[in-house]
Amino acid sequence: MECSWGGPAAPLCHDRTVRAFILTGPGQYTVDDVPPPEPAPGEVVVDVERVGVCGTDVEFFTGDMAYLRQGHAAYPMRLGHEWAGTVRATGDGVPQSWLGRRVTGDTMLGDGTCHRCRRGRQHLCAARQEVGIRGGRAGALAERLAVPASSLRVLPDSVDAELGALVEPGGNALRVAQAANVGPGERVLVLGPGTIGSLAALFLRAAGAEVHLLGPSEPALDFVRGLGFDQAWTEATLPDLPFDAVVDATNAVRLPALALDLVEPGGRVAYIGLSGEPSQVDTRALVLKDVTAVGILSASPALDATIAAYASGAVDPRPLVAATVGLDGVGPVLAGKRPAHAARGPKIHVDPQAA
């Protein structure tokens, strides 16, 4: 650490380095000391307290992420887009009142000038950066993170760092639950009992819907049954019921078509899962059943509502977090190894400050 005198009261001290997880190629990584980020004008630097490991991170680890082929991302890169922390420094043009505030942030950073950004759809900006994902914007798998102040969301006292790092996946899940557009007296089927599917089921239940889940096997359904979703099925056991809406939160190439098959005529299908290969949906069935199909990308429009739902206790996502590891534990997690002490939940968190 080096210090310089900022006035008569006390020295200003700056760490020479911070630790960060760096993905250097498919299946290759290091945990290194790197220069600490400095806030550019309009930016803040955050002390990162929690980061969620996401399926997108795994795709970068395996080399399967489409952005690598499309030129939107390249190794080496710093992952991490589900995060929470505390603001420690501000750049030019950022109010000092941000210092010490507990925050999370939007992953999608539009250019602020295009037609989509001006319409409030910066998450669809063609020139966007994505924290830890796209455009060379470093992610949160480090002790510190630099992000635009405009992307920040303040966390109330009732939303701690663990919940804060679940806001981004929660925002995705809330949006797909809203797209299903069901409430009391209506029945919805969620395909996929993973992180997004489980969160979507929690939001749908909070809206009063009768929630069913479909998983690939009985063991895969154990976790959601532990959340109180007793109506959890495999394809072999799925009852012949009318579903007013179906949510596809899987990466299975054939399930988008199954979602359309299972939904009631006049119902809604909400798609948020992405398969590695193109899915086939018969638009004749879509038309003849008069079904509304909606695709969901990004948590951006639902971040504030997700924080409010967590703060009020309307939705409690804590059981999803199976374990928390340090930066040295990230590589094995990305390689598919669950920590020995992990519970049953689908989400692994990282504490970059842990020794």
Side-chain angles (χ1 to χ4, degrees), residues 252-273:
V253 69
R254 66 183 185 84
L255 290 191
L258 179 63
L260 180 56
D261 288 342
L262 292 173
V263 73
E264 272 285 281
R268 296 175 69 90
V269 179
Y271 294 110
I272 194 168

Side-chain angles (χ1 to χ4, degrees), residues 60 123 221 248 270:
F60 278 119
H123 63 290
L221 295 166
D248 177 24

